[in-house]
Amino acid sequence: MKLLLLAALLGCLATVFAAPANSVKWCVISSQEHLKCSALAAQAPGFSCVRRENSLDCIIAIRAGEADAITLDGGDIYIAGLNNYNLHPIITEEYGSPSDTYFYAVAVAKKNTGFGFQDLRGKKSCHTGLGKSVGWNIPIGTLVAMNLIQWQGIDEQPVEEAVSEFFLKSCAPGATRGTKLCELCKGDCSRSHTEPYYGYDGAFQCLVEDAGEVAFVKHLTVPDSEKANYELLCKDNRRAPIDSYKTCNLARVPAHAVVTRKDPELAELIWTMLNSTLPQQGVNLFASEAYGAKNLMFKDSATRLVKLPPNADSYLYLGAEYMSVIRSLKQDWGPNGGIKWCAVGHAGTTKCDMWSINSIENDVTSIECENAPSVEECLKKIMRREADAVAVDGGHVYTAGKCGLVPAMVEQYDAELCSFSGGLCEISGATASSYYAVAVVKKGSGVTWENLQGKRSCHTGIGRTAGWNIPMGLIHKRTGDCDFTKFFSSSCVPGADPNSKLCAQCAGTGNILGDEFKCKASAEEKYYGFNGAFRCLVEGAGDVAFIKHTTVLENSDGNSPSWASGLRSADYELICPGGGSVPVSEYSRCHLARVPPHAVVTRPEIRNKVIDILKKQQVQFGTGSDSFFKLFQSEGGKNLLFQDSTKCLQTIHTGTNYEQFLGQEYVDAMTSLRQCSDTTSDLEKICSFHSWHQNK
């Protein structure tokens, strides 16, 4: 009997934890949505509907397995991605032509009403819903950021209260009934279709019927027949025609996306159901009028659904810029004290821990340490607020920028360009540092730029400037072939596919068997980074090393670490793309490119905090300080946390984005190289999905 009961119990557990059955339970939040969903379900066995009162209840139901999917806007995607729900976007809507997987948040007013965006205090406002991207997060976040709504943070008052004091009256569905934020609403002020002014069309109708004077909607909301009667309010207080949304908007916002639990089989089933099963039955997912409302389950303006790259999550999908807007409304900046620095690998973490200990002052730590196995994992941690900053090379500045992170400070390698005013290193003549990307070979080897094909190569790491982006960009321009495994006979490119020829020459930690660090993009791979790539050449693992112009001199002629003992710089030479070779000291006339320096990247909302702390840290531990700990020197490795050649950190001017920092020539080179999809990391593919998809 006991065995039978045990067997029955195990059977139940197996049912609960089994892979998903061939069915999808869609969560709906109104009777109209339920009507449409039921009509779809009648056309497709395995598709069913679950009714809940609002988006949050649906998120909870999906987390519990009571439902499987729902389409959400950015604000709700953020909530769904929080740790207590852990839902992931898997499919995005596409709008119009060209193929847009984003839309613009705009402020709309009737023509000739005589006020601008900066004159909204005391006006009546129409919002799509409390916490919604276009109708709340973006406009309210913008008004707070511009100091038009003077809000001191959640400790002083809820942001809803500050908004109530700013606008005369509002309809913000989802707000507390009986408050000014619900005063203009026509129904029950709920975030559902039982409130006529809910959603994009509802907020616009609120404006049409003169309940409100401004509506916060998306750029596709105003019907063509009505465009002549309405205008956009621009942030600079101009007004513009409705179709001028690309130059007059509050923000560009990621499209609505389908979210579900993190389960690849379930995600594939949902995709198949929406993209194949239902369309084969002649179902139009993007038509809602027959069911008594608009934008039911999906936006009526959507033209098709697009699968997101694997491993997308809410943070990567929304991007750091949008996430910073949400956090500005929640005053969710994390700890008030120091910042969390992201260190790559064991050696980097060891130095960071030493930095952290030395940064303690009055029992307060200015620097806390977070570690990751690679720079890209650091970037993810910064986006997720698990870390705050990291110093990276230009290639990773490019990737970070695609993810919405911003460059804050730049490494300066020329001491004469560092001016110390009051002990603080500042921009001198607005001159940014730079370095040269070079190709180094052993003198007399016979290796030239022209006969590189078929040789063995040593690279600093996949996606890095001097070691990959510049040389492989030049090689791609020469061959037109994106399969770089064909060009060199074998290579060491840390961070590449460990099973490919690009990792064949890597050494890991040097252990003969079972080395988990072989070809990893961290200091545990002894051929990683500038010095590692040069070591790869020195030890005979490669015929050419792609490094920066100072690397050979930093590891020879008495400046040598133990592995380079006795090396002479005269035994190495640079090969020139135009032909010939020169001594390593003549890099100014024989190089692959002049490239931007390494920079500190961070989230937009904490940029100033990171700069302030780093300024103080380099006064204590930078060049010229008498501290035992040195910020720009590395024990137990080279170029840990910062380049050892750094003389100071300089502030990058406010508002400088990653493209402006890198320069058009470098951005053009990266754009060209990105024609080869294999050269783009999974992180960058997710972060740049919207622009990549449009240009595809």
Side-chain angles (χ1 to χ4, degrees), residues 232-252:
L232 301 178
L233 306 184
C234 312
K235 287 189 286 187
D236 61 5
N237 234 31
R238 292 181 300 113
R239 285 197 173 203
I242 293 296
D243 285 333
S244 298
Y245 53 83
K246 287 189 177 179
T247 55
C248 178
N249 62 75
L250 306 184
R252 197 177 84 168

Side-chain angles (χ1 to χ4, degrees), residues 474-486:
L474 292 172
I475 287 169
H476 174 256
K477 187 175 181 180
R478 172 170 144 188
T479 65
D481 191 346
C482 286
D483 186 355
F484 295 120
T485 62
K486 293 178 181 177

